[in-house]
Protein backbone atom coordinates (compact mmCIF):
# COMPACT_ATOMS: atom_id res chain seq x y z
CA UNK A 1 0.00 0.00 0.00
CA UNK A 2 1.53 3.27 -1.15
CA UNK A 3 0.78 6.67 0.38
CA UNK A 4 0.43 9.14 -2.49
CA UNK A 5 -0.73 12.33 -0.76
CA UNK A 6 -1.01 13.83 2.73
CA UNK A 7 -2.72 17.10 3.64
CA UNK A 8 -3.32 18.37 7.13
CA UNK A 9 -6.96 19.39 7.48
CA UNK A 10 -8.87 20.56 10.56
CA UNK A 11 -6.15 19.24 12.83
CA UNK A 12 -6.26 15.76 11.27
CA UNK A 13 -4.94 14.30 8.03
CA UNK A 14 -6.40 13.65 4.59
CA UNK A 15 -4.38 10.94 2.87
CA UNK A 16 -4.65 9.08 -0.43
CA UNK A 17 -3.31 5.57 -0.95
CA UNK A 18 -2.84 3.21 -3.87
CA UNK A 19 -3.04 -0.56 -3.40
CA UNK A 20 -3.41 -3.75 -5.43
CA UNK A 21 -6.94 -5.06 -5.06
CA UNK A 22 -7.18 -8.85 -5.18
CA UNK A 23 -10.96 -8.65 -5.52
CA UNK A 24 -10.90 -6.25 -8.46
CA UNK A 25 -7.67 -7.45 -10.04
CA UNK A 26 -6.28 -3.97 -10.52
CA UNK A 27 -4.58 -1.10 -8.73
CA UNK A 28 -7.01 1.10 -6.76
CA UNK A 29 -6.85 4.47 -5.04
CA UNK A 30 -8.78 5.46 -1.94
CA UNK A 31 -8.74 8.40 0.47
CA UNK A 32 -9.01 8.43 4.24
CA UNK A 33 -9.58 11.31 6.61
CA UNK A 34 -8.14 10.66 10.04
CA UNK A 35 -9.53 13.09 12.62
CA UNK A 36 -7.25 14.59 15.31
CA UNK A 37 -8.54 11.98 17.79
CA UNK A 38 -6.93 9.20 15.71
CA UNK A 39 -3.50 10.42 16.85
CA UNK A 40 -4.51 10.17 20.50
CA UNK A 41 -4.57 6.41 20.90
CA UNK A 42 -8.20 5.33 21.06
CA UNK A 43 -9.51 3.78 17.82
CA UNK A 44 -12.03 5.88 15.89
CA UNK A 45 -15.17 4.69 14.09
CA UNK A 46 -15.33 4.95 10.29
CA UNK A 47 -17.86 6.29 7.85
CA UNK A 48 -17.48 4.75 4.38
CA UNK A 49 -18.44 7.08 1.52
CA UNK A 50 -19.46 5.87 -1.96
CA UNK A 51 -19.51 8.46 -4.74
CA UNK A 52 -21.66 8.90 -7.82
CA UNK A 53 -21.18 8.47 -11.56
CA UNK A 54 -17.89 9.88 -12.98
CA UNK A 55 -16.48 10.56 -9.50
CA UNK A 56 -13.31 9.31 -7.82
CA UNK A 57 -12.23 9.33 -4.16
CA UNK A 58 -11.66 13.09 -4.46
CA UNK A 59 -15.07 14.68 -5.07
CA UNK A 60 -16.51 14.14 -1.62
CA UNK A 61 -13.31 14.90 0.26
CA UNK A 62 -12.82 18.20 -1.58
CA UNK A 63 -16.38 19.46 -1.98
CA UNK A 64 -18.66 18.19 0.80
CA UNK A 65 -17.25 20.13 3.74
CA UNK A 66 -17.36 16.90 5.74
CA UNK A 67 -13.88 16.98 7.24
CA UNK A 68 -14.69 19.87 9.58
CA UNK A 69 -17.53 17.90 11.16
CA UNK A 70 -15.59 14.60 11.20
CA UNK A 71 -12.76 16.37 13.04
CA UNK A 72 -15.18 17.67 15.65
CA UNK A 73 -16.94 14.33 16.09
CA UNK A 74 -13.82 12.17 15.96
CA UNK A 75 -14.80 9.89 13.10
CA UNK A 76 -12.65 8.71 10.20
CA UNK A 77 -14.03 8.87 6.66
CA UNK A 78 -12.95 6.51 3.89
CA UNK A 79 -13.83 7.46 0.30
CA UNK A 80 -13.63 4.68 -2.28
CA UNK A 81 -13.26 5.01 -6.02
CA UNK A 82 -16.33 4.30 -8.16
CA UNK A 83 -15.07 1.34 -10.23
CA UNK A 84 -12.04 -0.74 -11.09
CA UNK A 85 -9.69 1.22 -13.34
CA UNK A 86 -6.79 0.80 -15.69
CA UNK A 87 -5.82 -0.20 -19.21
CA UNK A 88 -6.71 -3.86 -18.83
CA UNK A 89 -10.13 -3.13 -17.30
CA UNK A 90 -13.25 -3.23 -19.49
CA UNK A 91 -14.75 0.18 -20.24
CA UNK A 92 -17.49 1.90 -22.22
CA UNK A 93 -17.77 5.27 -23.92
CA UNK A 94 -20.80 6.24 -21.82
CA UNK A 95 -20.28 8.16 -18.56
CA UNK A 96 -22.80 5.80 -16.94
CA UNK A 97 -21.16 2.43 -17.68
CA UNK A 98 -17.69 1.01 -17.15
CA UNK A 99 -14.87 2.91 -15.48
CA UNK A 100 -16.28 5.54 -13.09
CA UNK A 101 -19.63 3.71 -13.03
CA UNK A 102 -19.22 0.42 -11.14
CA UNK A 103 -22.63 0.57 -9.45
CA UNK A 104 -21.28 -1.25 -6.36
CA UNK A 105 -22.41 -4.69 -7.48
CA UNK A 106 -20.62 -7.90 -8.46
CA UNK A 107 -20.82 -8.34 -12.23
CA UNK A 108 -21.62 -11.77 -13.60
CA UNK A 109 -21.68 -11.04 -17.35
CA UNK A 110 -18.73 -10.77 -19.75
CA UNK A 111 -16.60 -8.75 -20.14
CA UNK A 112 -17.38 -7.04 -16.82
CA UNK A 113 -17.25 -10.04 -14.50
CA UNK A 114 -13.45 -10.14 -14.56
CA UNK A 115 -12.91 -6.86 -12.65
CA UNK A 116 -16.26 -5.33 -11.68
CA UNK A 117 -16.80 -6.67 -8.15
CA UNK A 118 -17.24 -3.34 -6.41
CA UNK A 119 -19.72 -4.71 -3.85
CA UNK A 120 -17.18 -7.17 -2.47
CA UNK A 121 -14.49 -4.48 -2.68
CA UNK A 122 -16.26 -1.74 -0.72
CA UNK A 123 -18.02 -4.01 1.78
CA UNK A 124 -15.19 -6.47 2.51
CA UNK A 125 -11.74 -5.94 0.99
CA UNK A 126 -11.48 -2.22 1.66
CA UNK A 127 -12.73 -2.38 5.29
CA UNK A 128 -10.26 -5.21 5.99
CA UNK A 129 -7.44 -3.14 4.53
CA UNK A 130 -8.46 -0.11 6.59
CA UNK A 131 -8.68 -2.16 9.77
CA UNK A 132 -5.21 -3.58 9.15
CA UNK A 133 -3.48 -0.24 8.60
CA UNK A 134 -5.28 2.48 10.55
CA UNK A 135 -6.34 3.07 14.18
CA UNK A 136 -10.02 2.37 13.59
CA UNK A 137 -12.62 0.64 15.72
CA UNK A 138 -15.02 -2.01 14.44
CA UNK A 139 -17.90 0.46 14.28
CA UNK A 140 -18.76 1.36 10.69
CA UNK A 141 -21.41 3.42 8.97
CA UNK A 142 -21.94 3.87 5.25
CA UNK A 143 -23.20 6.71 3.06
CA UNK A 144 -23.10 7.85 -0.53
CA UNK A 145 -24.42 10.10 -3.28
CA UNK A 146 -26.57 9.14 -6.30
CA UNK A 147 -25.07 5.85 -7.65
CA UNK A 148 -23.13 5.79 -4.37
CA UNK A 149 -26.33 6.28 -2.39
CA UNK A 150 -27.66 3.15 -4.11
CA UNK A 151 -24.37 1.44 -3.17
CA UNK A 152 -24.60 2.47 0.48
CA UNK A 153 -28.17 1.19 0.72
CA UNK A 154 -27.12 -2.10 -0.91
CA UNK A 155 -24.30 -2.62 1.59
CA UNK A 156 -26.55 -1.84 4.56
CA UNK A 157 -29.37 -4.06 3.30
CA UNK A 158 -27.18 -7.01 2.31
CA UNK A 159 -24.82 -6.89 5.32
CA UNK A 160 -26.75 -5.19 8.15
CA UNK A 161 -24.47 -6.66 10.84
CA UNK A 162 -21.44 -4.86 9.41
CA UNK A 163 -22.79 -1.33 9.87
CA UNK A 164 -24.47 0.71 12.59
CA UNK A 165 -26.30 3.14 10.27
CA UNK A 166 -26.73 4.13 6.63
CA UNK A 167 -27.48 7.35 4.79
CA UNK A 168 -27.67 8.63 1.25
CA UNK A 169 -28.00 11.83 -0.73
CA UNK A 170 -30.13 11.62 -3.86
CA UNK A 171 -29.77 7.84 -4.22
CA UNK A 172 -30.85 5.77 -7.19
CA UNK A 173 -33.55 4.05 -5.14
CA UNK A 174 -35.06 1.59 -7.59
CA UNK A 175 -32.49 0.87 -10.36
CA UNK A 176 -34.58 -1.97 -11.77
CA UNK A 177 -37.02 0.66 -12.93
CA UNK A 178 -34.64 3.52 -13.88
CA UNK A 179 -32.66 4.07 -17.13
CA UNK A 180 -29.27 4.33 -15.39
CA UNK A 181 -29.91 1.13 -13.47
CA UNK A 182 -31.38 -0.78 -16.41
CA UNK A 183 -28.39 0.03 -18.62
CA UNK A 184 -25.87 -0.93 -15.94
CA UNK A 185 -27.68 -4.06 -14.75
CA UNK A 186 -28.18 -5.36 -18.31
CA UNK A 187 -24.43 -4.98 -18.94
CA UNK A 188 -23.07 -6.15 -15.60
CA UNK A 189 -25.65 -8.85 -14.81
CA UNK A 190 -27.04 -9.89 -18.19
CA UNK A 191 -30.65 -10.61 -19.00
CA UNK A 192 -31.71 -12.59 -15.93
CA UNK A 193 -34.04 -10.21 -14.10
CA UNK A 194 -34.04 -12.46 -11.03
CA UNK A 195 -30.40 -11.52 -10.58
CA UNK A 196 -31.22 -7.84 -10.94
CA UNK A 197 -33.60 -8.06 -7.98
CA UNK A 198 -30.70 -8.86 -5.64
CA UNK A 199 -29.19 -5.41 -6.31
CA UNK A 200 -32.24 -3.17 -6.02
CA UNK A 201 -32.44 -1.18 -2.76
CA UNK A 202 -36.22 -0.78 -2.84
CA UNK A 203 -36.85 -4.51 -3.34
CA UNK A 204 -34.30 -5.40 -0.64
CA UNK A 205 -35.77 -2.88 1.80
CA UNK A 206 -39.29 -4.18 1.23
CA UNK A 207 -38.06 -7.65 2.17
CA UNK A 208 -36.14 -6.52 5.28
CA UNK A 209 -38.98 -7.16 7.69
CA UNK A 210 -36.96 -8.48 10.63
CA UNK A 211 -35.40 -6.10 13.17
CA UNK A 212 -32.01 -7.80 12.66
CA UNK A 213 -32.18 -6.82 8.97
CA UNK A 214 -32.82 -3.16 9.71
CA UNK A 215 -30.49 -0.22 10.38
CA UNK A 216 -31.20 3.41 11.20
CA UNK A 217 -31.39 5.02 7.75
CA UNK A 218 -31.54 8.62 6.55
CA UNK A 219 -32.03 9.78 2.96
CA UNK A 220 -31.84 13.42 1.82
CA UNK A 221 -33.36 14.39 -1.52
CA UNK A 222 -33.46 17.73 -3.32
CA UNK A 223 -36.89 18.41 -4.77
CA UNK A 224 -35.42 20.39 -7.71
CA UNK A 225 -33.11 17.51 -8.62
CA UNK A 226 -33.46 17.04 -12.39
CA UNK A 227 -32.96 13.26 -11.95
CA UNK A 228 -35.62 12.89 -9.27
CA UNK A 229 -38.60 11.40 -11.04
CA UNK A 230 -36.94 9.22 -13.68
CA UNK A 231 -33.63 8.07 -12.18
CA UNK A 232 -33.95 8.36 -8.40
CA UNK A 233 -37.57 7.50 -7.51
CA UNK A 234 -37.38 8.02 -3.72
CA UNK A 235 -41.08 7.21 -3.41
CA UNK A 236 -40.24 3.58 -4.26
CA UNK A 237 -37.88 3.46 -1.29
CA UNK A 238 -40.41 5.17 0.98
CA UNK A 239 -43.07 2.64 -0.01
CA UNK A 240 -40.64 -0.22 0.61
CA UNK A 241 -39.83 1.11 4.09
CA UNK A 242 -43.53 1.47 4.80
CA UNK A 243 -44.16 -2.11 3.71
CA UNK A 244 -41.41 -3.68 5.83
CA UNK A 245 -41.42 -1.28 8.75
CA UNK A 246 -37.85 -0.23 7.93
CA UNK A 247 -36.70 2.77 10.03
CA UNK A 248 -36.11 5.16 7.13
CA UNK A 249 -36.05 8.93 7.59
CA UNK A 250 -36.69 10.59 4.22
CA UNK A 251 -35.86 14.32 4.19
CA UNK A 252 -37.08 16.28 1.19
CA UNK A 253 -35.56 19.71 0.52
CA UNK A 254 -37.35 22.24 -1.71
CA UNK A 255 -35.12 24.10 -4.18
CA UNK A 256 -32.08 21.84 -3.91
CA UNK A 257 -30.60 19.93 -6.85
CA UNK A 258 -28.29 16.94 -7.44
CA UNK A 259 -24.99 18.80 -6.95
CA UNK A 260 -22.39 18.87 -4.20
CA UNK A 261 -23.85 22.24 -3.16
CA UNK A 262 -26.78 20.17 -1.92
CA UNK A 263 -24.57 17.53 -0.31
CA UNK A 264 -22.53 20.24 1.44
CA UNK A 265 -25.69 21.91 2.75
CA UNK A 266 -26.80 18.82 4.68
CA UNK A 267 -23.68 16.72 5.26
CA UNK A 268 -23.42 17.97 8.83
CA UNK A 269 -26.91 16.63 9.54
CA UNK A 270 -26.00 13.23 8.06
CA UNK A 271 -22.70 13.02 9.97
CA UNK A 272 -24.41 13.87 13.27
CA UNK A 273 -27.02 11.21 12.48
CA UNK A 274 -24.27 8.61 12.05
CA UNK A 275 -22.44 9.85 15.17
CA UNK A 276 -25.50 8.99 17.29
CA UNK A 277 -25.01 5.36 16.28
CA UNK A 278 -21.23 5.20 15.85
CA UNK A 279 -20.72 6.54 19.38
CA UNK A 280 -23.68 4.81 21.04
CA UNK A 281 -22.75 2.94 24.22
CA UNK B 1 -25.13 39.63 -18.20
CA UNK B 2 -26.13 36.01 -18.57
CA UNK B 3 -26.93 33.63 -15.70
CA UNK B 4 -25.29 30.30 -16.51
CA UNK B 5 -25.86 28.26 -13.33
CA UNK B 6 -27.92 28.37 -10.13
CA UNK B 7 -27.56 26.03 -7.16
CA UNK B 8 -29.34 26.36 -3.85
CA UNK B 9 -26.79 26.09 -1.03
CA UNK B 10 -27.27 26.54 2.70
CA UNK B 11 -30.59 28.28 2.14
CA UNK B 12 -29.09 30.83 -0.27
CA UNK B 13 -28.00 30.64 -3.91
CA UNK B 14 -24.73 30.05 -5.70
CA UNK B 15 -24.91 31.52 -9.20
CA UNK B 16 -22.50 31.89 -12.09
CA UNK B 17 -22.74 34.67 -14.66
CA UNK B 18 -21.06 35.56 -17.92
CA UNK B 19 -20.65 39.19 -19.01
CA UNK B 20 -18.68 41.29 -21.48
CA UNK B 21 -15.92 43.11 -19.65
CA UNK B 22 -15.12 46.53 -21.12
CA UNK B 23 -11.95 46.74 -19.03
CA UNK B 24 -10.60 43.38 -20.17
CA UNK B 25 -12.04 43.38 -23.67
CA UNK B 26 -13.37 39.84 -23.41
CA UNK B 27 -16.18 37.73 -22.03
CA UNK B 28 -15.74 36.88 -18.33
CA UNK B 29 -17.36 34.50 -15.86
CA UNK B 30 -17.81 35.13 -12.15
CA UNK B 31 -19.67 33.45 -9.31
CA UNK B 32 -21.71 34.97 -6.50
CA UNK B 33 -23.07 33.41 -3.35
CA UNK B 34 -26.15 35.19 -2.08
CA UNK B 35 -26.94 34.22 1.53
CA UNK B 36 -30.54 33.63 2.66
CA UNK B 37 -30.62 37.17 4.10
CA UNK B 38 -30.28 38.61 0.56
CA UNK B 39 -33.82 37.48 -0.18
CA UNK B 40 -35.16 39.32 2.86
CA UNK B 41 -34.83 42.90 1.65
CA UNK B 42 -31.89 44.44 3.49
CA UNK B 43 -28.71 44.74 1.37
CA UNK B 44 -25.87 42.42 2.38
CA UNK B 45 -22.14 43.21 2.50
CA UNK B 46 -19.79 41.48 0.05
CA UNK B 47 -16.52 39.62 0.38
CA UNK B 48 -14.55 39.54 -2.88
CA UNK B 49 -12.41 36.43 -3.35
CA UNK B 50 -9.39 36.26 -5.66
CA UNK B 51 -8.05 32.80 -6.52
CA UNK B 52 -4.58 31.49 -7.23
CA UNK B 53 -2.69 30.28 -10.30
CA UNK B 54 -4.64 27.97 -12.67
CA UNK B 55 -7.93 28.55 -10.81
CA UNK B 56 -11.28 29.92 -12.00
CA UNK B 57 -14.30 31.24 -10.09
CA UNK B 58 -15.11 27.63 -9.12
CA UNK B 59 -12.27 26.42 -6.89
CA UNK B 60 -13.10 28.51 -3.84
CA UNK B 61 -16.85 28.14 -4.12
CA UNK B 62 -16.61 24.33 -4.36
CA UNK B 63 -13.72 23.55 -2.02
CA UNK B 64 -13.39 26.13 0.75
CA UNK B 65 -16.51 25.37 2.75
CA UNK B 66 -17.17 29.11 2.91
CA UNK B 67 -20.84 29.15 1.92
CA UNK B 68 -21.99 27.60 5.20
CA UNK B 69 -20.40 30.42 7.18
CA UNK B 70 -21.48 33.13 4.74
CA UNK B 71 -25.06 31.88 5.06
CA UNK B 72 -24.88 32.11 8.82
CA UNK B 73 -23.27 35.56 8.84
CA UNK B 74 -25.36 37.02 6.01
CA UNK B 75 -22.57 38.06 3.70
CA UNK B 76 -22.38 37.65 -0.06
CA UNK B 77 -19.22 36.27 -1.67
CA UNK B 78 -18.09 37.13 -5.19
CA UNK B 79 -15.41 34.94 -6.78
CA UNK B 80 -13.65 36.40 -9.83
CA UNK B 81 -11.78 34.53 -12.52
CA UNK B 82 -7.96 34.75 -12.48
CA UNK B 83 -7.32 36.39 -15.87
CA UNK B 84 -8.92 37.51 -19.10
CA UNK B 85 -9.73 34.49 -21.25
CA UNK B 86 -10.58 33.52 -24.80
CA UNK B 87 -9.12 32.86 -28.22
CA UNK B 88 -8.11 36.45 -28.90
CA UNK B 89 -6.42 36.87 -25.51
CA UNK B 90 -2.61 36.52 -25.23
CA UNK B 91 -1.46 33.35 -23.50
CA UNK B 92 1.64 31.38 -22.56
CA UNK B 93 2.39 27.68 -22.21
CA UNK B 94 3.41 28.11 -18.56
CA UNK B 95 0.81 27.61 -15.83
CA UNK B 96 2.16 30.75 -14.15
CA UNK B 97 1.77 33.25 -17.01
CA UNK B 98 -1.09 34.27 -19.28
CA UNK B 99 -4.59 32.83 -19.00
CA UNK B 100 -5.25 31.63 -15.45
CA UNK B 101 -2.38 33.78 -14.15
CA UNK B 102 -3.35 37.45 -14.41
CA UNK B 103 -1.68 38.48 -11.14
CA UNK B 104 -4.34 41.17 -10.51
CA UNK B 105 -2.27 43.98 -12.03
CA UNK B 106 -2.67 46.23 -15.08
CA UNK B 107 -0.20 45.13 -17.75
CA UNK B 108 1.75 47.79 -19.62
CA UNK B 109 3.92 45.64 -21.90
CA UNK B 110 2.96 43.99 -25.21
CA UNK B 111 1.19 41.70 -25.94
CA UNK B 112 -0.39 41.61 -22.48
CA UNK B 113 -1.46 45.26 -22.13
CA UNK B 114 -4.42 44.81 -24.48
CA UNK B 115 -6.43 42.53 -22.14
CA UNK B 116 -4.57 42.00 -18.86
CA UNK B 117 -6.05 44.70 -16.62
CA UNK B 118 -7.21 42.45 -13.80
CA UNK B 119 -6.56 45.08 -11.11
CA UNK B 120 -9.04 47.50 -12.65
CA UNK B 121 -11.43 44.62 -13.30
CA UNK B 122 -11.57 43.17 -9.78
CA UNK B 123 -11.35 46.50 -7.91
CA UNK B 124 -13.68 48.60 -10.07
CA UNK B 125 -15.57 47.04 -12.97
CA UNK B 126 -16.71 43.90 -11.15
CA UNK B 127 -17.85 45.67 -7.93
CA UNK B 128 -19.81 48.20 -10.04
CA UNK B 129 -21.48 45.32 -11.91
CA UNK B 130 -22.32 43.55 -8.64
CA UNK B 131 -23.75 46.74 -7.11
CA UNK B 132 -25.93 47.30 -10.20
CA UNK B 133 -27.45 43.80 -10.25
CA UNK B 134 -27.57 42.38 -6.72
CA UNK B 135 -28.97 43.46 -3.32
CA UNK B 136 -25.59 44.38 -1.82
CA UNK B 137 -24.55 47.17 0.50
CA UNK B 138 -21.52 49.40 -0.03
CA UNK B 139 -19.46 47.50 2.54
CA UNK B 140 -16.80 45.36 0.90
CA UNK B 141 -13.96 43.17 2.11
CA UNK B 142 -11.41 41.32 0.02
CA UNK B 143 -9.50 38.06 0.39
CA UNK B 144 -7.60 35.57 -1.70
CA UNK B 145 -5.25 32.60 -1.93
CA UNK B 146 -1.65 32.55 -3.15
CA UNK B 147 -1.56 34.76 -6.30
CA UNK B 148 -5.02 35.88 -5.19
CA UNK B 149 -3.71 36.71 -1.72
CA UNK B 150 -1.22 39.02 -3.39
CA UNK B 151 -4.13 40.47 -5.38
CA UNK B 152 -6.26 41.03 -2.29
CA UNK B 153 -3.40 42.80 -0.51
CA UNK B 154 -2.80 44.97 -3.62
CA UNK B 155 -6.44 46.05 -3.76
CA UNK B 156 -6.52 46.86 -0.03
CA UNK B 157 -3.22 48.76 -0.13
CA UNK B 158 -3.97 50.73 -3.30
CA UNK B 159 -7.66 51.49 -2.56
CA UNK B 160 -8.03 51.36 1.23
CA UNK B 161 -11.21 53.46 1.17
CA UNK B 162 -13.03 50.84 -0.90
CA UNK B 163 -12.73 48.02 1.65
CA UNK B 164 -13.30 47.52 5.36
CA UNK B 165 -10.83 44.65 5.81
CA UNK B 166 -8.47 42.33 3.93
CA UNK B 167 -7.23 38.78 4.40
CA UNK B 168 -5.14 36.23 2.57
CA UNK B 169 -4.18 32.58 2.67
CA UNK B 170 -0.60 31.79 1.66
CA UNK B 171 -0.14 35.03 -0.32
CA UNK B 172 2.77 35.84 -2.59
CA UNK B 173 3.93 38.61 -0.25
CA UNK B 174 6.93 40.04 -2.08
CA UNK B 175 6.64 39.21 -5.80
CA UNK B 176 9.54 41.51 -6.70
CA UNK B 177 11.79 39.00 -5.01
CA UNK B 178 10.07 35.69 -5.93
CA UNK B 179 10.34 33.59 -9.13
CA UNK B 180 6.57 33.60 -9.82
CA UNK B 181 6.41 37.38 -9.40
CA UNK B 182 9.58 38.10 -11.35
CA UNK B 183 8.41 36.06 -14.35
CA UNK B 184 4.95 37.65 -14.36
CA UNK B 185 6.12 41.21 -13.73
CA UNK B 186 8.82 41.01 -16.43
CA UNK B 187 6.18 39.89 -18.93
CA UNK B 188 3.26 42.11 -17.89
CA UNK B 189 5.22 45.24 -16.90
CA UNK B 190 8.49 45.01 -18.85
CA UNK B 191 11.93 45.84 -17.55
CA UNK B 192 11.21 49.02 -15.60
CA UNK B 193 11.65 47.94 -11.98
CA UNK B 194 10.16 51.22 -10.75
CA UNK B 195 6.87 50.05 -12.21
CA UNK B 196 7.21 46.67 -10.48
CA UNK B 197 7.38 48.42 -7.09
CA UNK B 198 3.80 49.66 -7.50
CA UNK B 199 2.52 46.07 -7.48
CA UNK B 200 4.45 44.60 -4.56
CA UNK B 201 2.40 44.15 -1.37
CA UNK B 202 5.38 44.28 0.97
CA UNK B 203 6.70 47.53 -0.50
CA UNK B 204 3.22 49.07 -0.50
CA UNK B 205 2.58 47.99 3.08
CA UNK B 206 5.89 49.42 4.26
CA UNK B 207 4.85 52.78 2.78
CA UNK B 208 1.34 52.74 4.26
CA UNK B 209 2.25 54.71 7.39
CA UNK B 210 -0.92 56.79 7.69
CA UNK B 211 -4.01 55.43 9.50
CA UNK B 212 -6.14 56.29 6.45
CA UNK B 213 -3.96 53.96 4.38
CA UNK B 214 -4.43 51.02 6.75
CA UNK B 215 -7.09 48.30 7.03
CA UNK B 216 -7.53 45.46 9.49
CA UNK B 217 -5.54 42.65 7.85
CA UNK B 218 -5.23 38.93 8.54
CA UNK B 219 -2.89 36.49 6.81
CA UNK B 220 -2.86 32.70 7.37
CA UNK B 221 0.19 30.71 6.33
CA UNK B 222 0.87 26.97 6.48
CA UNK B 223 4.35 26.25 7.76
CA UNK B 224 4.66 23.08 5.64
CA UNK B 225 3.76 24.97 2.47
CA UNK B 226 6.32 23.93 -0.13
CA UNK B 227 6.21 27.43 -1.65
CA UNK B 228 6.78 29.22 1.65
CA UNK B 229 10.42 30.29 1.59
CA UNK B 230 10.97 30.96 -2.11
CA UNK B 231 7.61 32.13 -3.50
CA UNK B 232 5.57 33.45 -0.57
CA UNK B 233 8.03 35.09 1.87
CA UNK B 234 5.57 36.13 4.60
CA UNK B 235 8.44 37.51 6.69
CA UNK B 236 8.79 40.33 4.13
CA UNK B 237 5.18 41.31 4.75
CA UNK B 238 5.60 41.03 8.53
CA UNK B 239 8.65 43.30 8.39
CA UNK B 240 6.77 45.80 6.22
CA UNK B 241 3.88 45.88 8.70
CA UNK B 242 6.33 46.35 11.55
CA UNK B 243 7.99 49.26 9.73
CA UNK B 244 4.77 51.14 8.94
CA UNK B 245 2.70 50.15 11.95
CA UNK B 246 0.22 48.37 9.68
CA UNK B 247 -2.36 46.34 11.67
CA UNK B 248 -1.45 42.92 10.27
CA UNK B 249 -2.31 39.68 12.08
CA UNK B 250 -0.05 36.92 10.78
CA UNK B 251 -1.21 33.42 11.78
CA UNK B 252 1.26 30.60 11.19
CA UNK B 253 -0.04 27.01 11.20
CA UNK B 254 2.35 24.08 11.72
CA UNK B 255 1.81 21.10 9.41
CA UNK B 256 -0.48 22.82 6.90
CA UNK B 257 0.37 23.16 3.21
CA UNK B 258 -0.70 25.29 0.22
CA UNK B 259 -3.86 23.35 -0.65
CA UNK B 260 -7.55 24.02 -0.25
CA UNK B 261 -7.50 21.59 2.69
CA UNK B 262 -5.61 24.39 4.46
CA UNK B 263 -7.96 27.12 3.22
CA UNK B 264 -11.00 25.08 4.31
CA UNK B 265 -9.49 24.54 7.77
CA UNK B 266 -9.33 28.27 8.54
CA UNK B 267 -11.86 29.96 6.24
CA UNK B 268 -14.35 30.24 9.10
CA UNK B 269 -11.81 32.25 11.11
CA UNK B 270 -11.19 34.59 8.18
CA UNK B 271 -14.90 35.08 7.46
CA UNK B 272 -15.62 35.87 11.11
CA UNK B 273 -12.71 38.33 11.04
CA UNK B 274 -14.27 40.12 8.06
CA UNK B 275 -17.73 40.01 9.64
CA UNK B 276 -16.46 42.06 12.59
CA UNK B 277 -15.73 44.87 10.13
CA UNK B 278 -18.46 44.32 7.53
CA UNK B 279 -21.14 44.45 10.23
CA UNK B 280 -19.54 47.11 12.44
CA UNK B 281 -21.93 49.93 13.34
Amino acid sequence: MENISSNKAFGGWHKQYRHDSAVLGCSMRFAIYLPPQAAQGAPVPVLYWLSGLTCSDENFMQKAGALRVAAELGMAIVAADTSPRGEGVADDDGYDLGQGAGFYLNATAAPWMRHYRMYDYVSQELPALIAAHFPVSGRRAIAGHSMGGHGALLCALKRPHDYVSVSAFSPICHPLNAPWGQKAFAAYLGDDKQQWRQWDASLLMAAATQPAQQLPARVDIGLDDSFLAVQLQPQALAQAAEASGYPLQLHQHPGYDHSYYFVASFIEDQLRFHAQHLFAA
Side-chain angles (χ1 to χ4, degrees), chain A residues 9-10 12-17 30-38 44-51 57-62 64-80 126 130 134-137 139-144 169 260 263 267-268 270-272 274-275 278-279:
Chain A
F10 297 96
W13 288 89
H14 174 271
K15 292 170 182 276
Q16 289 173 298
Y17 289 86
F30 70 86
I32 185 168
Y33 178 67
L34 292 164
Q37 296 83 346
V44 295
V46 186
L47 175 73
Y48 284 81
W49 177 268
L50 307 182
S51 280
D57 63 291
E58 295 189 334
N59 306 64
F60 178 77
M61 292 298 204
Q62 295 181 353
L67 308 193
R68 176 186 64 86
V69 188
E72 179 202 319
L73 297 172
M75 67 171 68
I77 300 176
V78 171
L126 186 57
I130 298 298
F134 299 98
V136 296
S137 75
R139 293 186 88 87
R140 310 207 304 256
I142 191 158
F169 286 94
Y260 263 95
V263 174
I267 190 65
E268 180 163 358
Q270 284 208 2
L271 294 181
R272 292 191 188 284
H274 288 294
L278 287 169
F279 295 103

Side-chain angles (χ1 to χ4, degrees), chain A residues 167-242:
Chain A
S167 70
F169 286 94
S170 324
I172 303 172
C173 294
H174 191 21
L176 220 79
N177 198 34
W180 277 337
Q182 290 165 343
K183 177 177 177 180
F185 284 19
Y188 296 141
L189 303 172
D191 292 333
D192 178 5
K193 294 273 170 80
Q194 279 306 113
Q195 259 212 71
W196 293 26
R197 299 175 65 85
Q198 299 169 31
W199 304 99
D200 185 285
S202 292
L203 296 184
L204 293 171
M205 190 172 280
T209 53
Q210 303 305 312
Q213 297 174 289
Q214 300 180 343
L215 291 177
R218 174 180 172 130
V219 169
D220 288 85
I221 291 268
L223 293 181
D224 278 15
D225 187 323
S226 59
F227 301 113
L228 188 65
V230 174
Q231 302 283 13
L232 309 184
Q233 302 180 29
Q235 78 287 355
L237 197 69
Q239 287 164 9
E242 180 81 20

